[in-house]
Amino acid sequence: QFPFGRRLPCDIYWHGVSFHDNNIFSGQVNKFPGMMETVRKITLSRAMRTMQDLFPLEYNFYPRSWILPEELPLFVAEVRMMKDRNPSWKPTFIVKPDGGCQGDGIYLIKDPNDIRLTGSIQSRPAVVQEYICKPLLVDKLKFDIRLYVLLKSLEPLEIYIAKDGLSRFCTEPYQEPTLKNLHQVFMHLTNYSLNIHSGNFIHSASVNTGSKRTFSSILCRLSSRGADVKKLWSDIISLVIKTIIALTPELKVYYQSDIPAGKPGPTCFQILGFDILLMKNLKPMLLEVNANPSMRIEHEQELSPGVFENVPSPVDEEVKVAVIRDTLRLVDPQKKKRKDTQSLPSPTTLILCCRCQSLEQVPEANEELPDAGPAARPESDIPRSREAALPSLCLKQVFPKYAKQFSYLRLVDRVAALFIRFLGVKGTTKLGPTGFRTFIRNCKLSNSNFSMAAVDILYIDITRRWNSMGIDHKEPGMCLQAFVEAFFCLAQKKYKSLPLHEQVASLVEFCERHLAALRGKRLVWGCG
């Protein structure tokens, strides 16, 4: 453990907070650049909204959301319009600060006028969402699921899901929201960090009882009641893959900025925490994605007033140790070397730059993997006891395993590839006016009805509006979200009669075809 970093190179770097905890130039690091920014509530909501515009049925697992403060008038107007259409509709909304965590600053409202504008919402923007009023209850309590997802690679995309997760319970019996109970956080909010302060919180030595249980124990209970658990898991896998697909375009822009193609640098992987709520009909709904899920496997217990002791948590230990252990097994750099060289492996170096995560009881990084067969080394050298001690992987690959079913959703990925291609300067995340004009010219998108002057106006209008929302003022230019909006506008102009996803797909193919032809011409000129 090196709190202040280390100069000697390592195989694996385990950072506590972000990719930039230390400057690294090789090996593998357990954080992607830009992941913390990409899964913030506002950025996640924008990414999901883009996908909902393209594929509304496929992305109906994310609650309808509005971004504050810029969409407050829109939120008020849309709620009023929906109430006029259906006077019996009595919605509840949940307000979540953009940078909040562990339930900090979250509150429920019945009326848009109840949003707390005091305390300057400009300095602390938020997301307001429709509150899910009919959740699945167990023992009359609301609960959510924390699932651990390993994003092992961005290009090519590789996703693993842990076979078990945590079920985190509220500590007061659930009732549908009313003006009288809106403030009762122990009834409505499932955050562990909030409920642990409730007098009703139960620390249990069993994974089947208490205020925190394994997700598998909930599945067993549902199965015993005749629920279709296989379909539920299939829906959860679909939700995870679709969410990652929504996040990858932004991540790729950050990635090329910090680790430019063609230059030596580290590769990345990351464990994400997906918070999912099950509705009464067993439909999973995404609440949020956590870039730094807690890996603690103990909790504090007060022995006497002011005296605390760390006590092991059997539930956390059962789920989290397996996730950490199998992540290290999957990213083990010696695994590839053993396959490539079939020679005696040297020990893997694991460097921990841990500031907030706990890795107690994790197996050593140079443990033998189950697939290192006798051909890798002499039979007498194989540590049979350690080999046998490793259980089967708890992490299940879901992508590229199910890539065929979801490849059609990766439209924005292709738009992002165009954006990155025309960025020009390596290390930047914003597209300048010259880059945008080059994109239009090379893709043959200007004509008599859409002049280069109109191109400049489109660039200025969209870029100015996105920059006025407070989207990263440090670097001038057009961000990816603004480029996606401009691209959608161009697609709607060019292919008016088609649905939006077909318009965008048609324009992507049009641009890719022209760029391929241009590349072919340059190759011919080069040969000439």
Side-chain angles (χ1 to χ4, degrees):
Q1 186 166 339
F2 291 83
F4 304 105
R6 167 178 130 151
R7 291 183 180 179
L8 295 175
C10 296
D11 296 310
I12 300 173
Y13 295 81
W14 197 280
H15 287 183
V17 179
S18 78
F19 175 83
H20 295 288
D21 281 3
N22 286 280
N23 293 321
I24 50 175
F25 306 98
S26 64
Q28 298 181 86
V29 61
N30 73 320
K31 303 290 180 191
F32 279 92
M35 182 65 82
M36 286 183 70
E37 293 81 359
T38 302
V39 301
R40 285 174 75 101
K41 294 175 182 66
I42 285 180
T43 317
L44 174 64
S45 294
R46 284 194 172 117
M48 299 304 281
R49 184 185 296 172
T50 298
M51 298 306 289
Q52 286 171 337
D53 289 343
L54 289 168
F55 308 103
L57 294 178
E58 288 88 337
Y59 280 84
N60 63 1
F61 58 82
Y62 191 70
R64 186 163 19 185
S65 307
W66 295 266
I67 293 158
L68 304 179
E70 66 254 25
E71 292 181 354
L72 180 57
L74 177 66
F75 171 54
V76 173
E78 287 190 359
V79 170
R80 186 183 298 119
M81 183 177 66
M82 287 186 280
K83 282 186 175 179
D84 289 343
R85 285 180 185 170
N86 182 9
S88 63
W89 184 56
K90 296 179 180 178
T92 302
F93 302 97
I94 184 166
V95 183
K96 304 176 182 179
D98 180 45
C101 60
Q102 300 181 336
D104 175 44
I106 296 176
Y107 61 96
L108 273 60
I109 59 171
K110 280 284 188 182
D111 191 292
N113 295 319
D114 294 334
I115 286 175
R116 299 170 192 168
L117 293 173
T118 55
S120 179
I121 201 164
Q122 290 285 357
S123 61
R124 198 181 189 194
V127 168
V128 57
Q129 295 178 321
E130 278 192 76
Y131 180 76
I132 301 162
C133 293
K134 296 189 183 296
L136 178 70
L137 304 181
V138 169
D139 301 330
K140 298 182 180 179
L141 299 171
K142 180 181 173 181
F143 69 97
D144 75 354
I145 305 155
R146 163 61 62 84
L147 277 185
Y148 295 95
V149 174
L150 171 64
L151 181 56
K152 185 173 179 283
S153 168
L154 198 55
E155 194 62 62
L157 186 59
E158 197 170 348
I159 308 167
Y160 292 78
I161 299 180
K163 293 177 183 177
D164 204 354
L166 301 173
S167 298
R168 305 172 302 182
F169 282 76
C170 286
T171 45
E172 288 182 13
Y174 180 76
Q175 297 172 10
E176 287 199 24
T178 64
L179 290 173
K180 289 184 178 179
N181 69 29
L182 282 182
H183 66 283
Q184 296 183 28
V185 293
F186 298 146
M187 177 189 293
H188 294 294
L189 304 185
T190 53
N191 304 70
Y192 167 78
S193 51
L194 290 177
N195 282 281
I196 197 172
H197 299 294
S198 165
N200 297 328
F201 192 93
I202 300 170
H203 289 290
S204 176
S206 167
V207 298
N208 305 311
T209 59
S211 298
K212 189 191 283 188
R213 313 176 196 179
T214 59
F215 180 42
S216 56
S217 72
I218 302 298
L219 290 175
C220 286
R221 193 160 171 176
L222 291 174
S223 182
S224 68
R225 294 176 183 175
D228 190 345
V229 171
K230 283 188 177 179
K231 183 183 184 304
L232 173 57
W233 254 121
S234 176
D235 291 343
I236 288 173
I237 289 170
S238 176
L239 178 153
V240 168
I241 293 173
K242 289 172 182 176
T243 303
I244 297 287
I245 285 174
L247 297 175
T248 51
E250 195 77 43
L251 282 174
K252 285 180 178 178
V253 172
Y254 280 108
Y255 197 90
Q256 63 80 35
S257 173
D258 280 285
I259 311 170
K263 285 192 175 182
T267 56
C268 304
F269 63 95
Q270 189 154 352
I271 297 170
L272 302 170
F274 273 65
D275 292 346
I276 296 168
L277 186 74
L278 295 183
M279 293 177 67
K280 202 171 183 178
N281 61 1
L282 293 188
K283 179 181 177 177
M285 298 291 289
L286 178 67
L287 299 180
E288 59 183 66
V289 181
N290 197 315
N292 290 311
S294 169
M295 287 296 167
R296 288 192 64 170
I297 55 172
E298 75 284 318
H299 63 267
E300 281 188 345
Q301 188 172 14
E302 192 169 13
L303 301 177
S304 58
V307 180
F308 292 88
E309 177 185 54
N310 283 332
V311 179
S313 167
V315 179
D316 288 295
E317 191 169 329
E318 178 160 325
V319 174
K320 294 175 182 177
V321 168
V323 170
I324 298 280
R325 178 195 66 225
D326 291 348
T327 296
L328 293 175
R329 290 164 72 184
L330 284 168
V331 303
D332 178 15
Q334 299 306 324
K335 184 177 182 180
K336 186 175 186 302
K337 289 181 185 177
R338 283 196 290 276
K339 287 180 179 176
D340 291 346
T341 64
Q342 296 289 294
S343 62
L344 182 68
S346 58
T348 300
T349 310
L350 171 69
I351 180 168
L352 306 180
C353 302
C354 295
R355 295 178 186 171
C356 65
Q357 298 193 26
S358 185
L359 290 170
E360 292 90 337
Q361 302 188 26
V362 177
E364 293 177 23
N366 62 343
E367 279 189 324
E368 280 300 310
L369 295 177
D371 59 350
R377 52 204 275 199
E379 189 174 340
S380 59
D381 288 337
I382 298 175
R384 292 185 182 276
S385 60
R386 295 182 74 186
E387 182 98 1
L390 281 174
S392 60
L393 284 169
C394 81
L395 292 170
K396 174 186 177 182
Q397 190 197 77
V398 296
F399 204 95
K401 183 177 180 180
Y402 302 122
K404 286 183 180 178
Q405 294 97 305
F406 298 94
S407 59
Y408 73 99
L409 298 174
R410 303 189 71 184
L411 261 185
V412 184
D413 246 17
R414 293 163 71 186
V415 176
L418 295 171
F419 175 80
I420 291 168
R421 177 176 180 144
F422 289 96
L423 280 176
V425 181
K426 286 187 177 180
T428 185
T429 60
K430 298 281 189 76
L431 184 67
T434 303
F436 189 71
R437 287 172 67 94
T438 306
F439 155 68
I440 295 290
R441 199 176 288 116
N442 286 4
C443 294
K444 310 289 185 188
L445 294 178
S446 61
N447 51 45
S448 57
N449 296 322
F450 188 58
S451 65
M452 291 308 289
V455 168
D456 292 338
I457 291 169
L458 178 68
Y459 176 88
I460 291 166
D461 285 350
I462 291 180
T463 302
R464 185 180 292 160
R465 183 156 40 78
W466 277 89
N467 287 340
S468 70
M469 295 179 197
I471 309 293
D472 189 13
H473 286 305
K474 297 175 185 175
E475 189 183 340
M478 176 182 266
C479 64
L480 174 64
Q481 300 103 314
F483 180 80
V484 168
E485 184 185 326
F487 195 90
F488 283 19
C489 286
L490 294 169
Q492 288 166 319
K493 281 177 183 288
K494 194 169 180 63
Y495 305 99
K496 293 177 182 176
S497 60
L498 298 174
L500 180 62
H501 71 274
E502 290 184 27
Q503 291 174 334
V504 174
S506 299
L507 185 59
V508 167
E509 289 166 8
F510 181 86
C511 293
E512 289 172 345
R513 190 165 60 249
H514 277 286
L515 292 173
L518 183 63
R519 189 161 51 245
K521 285 180 183 177
R522 285 173 178 169
L523 285 172
V524 171
W525 294 336
C527 291

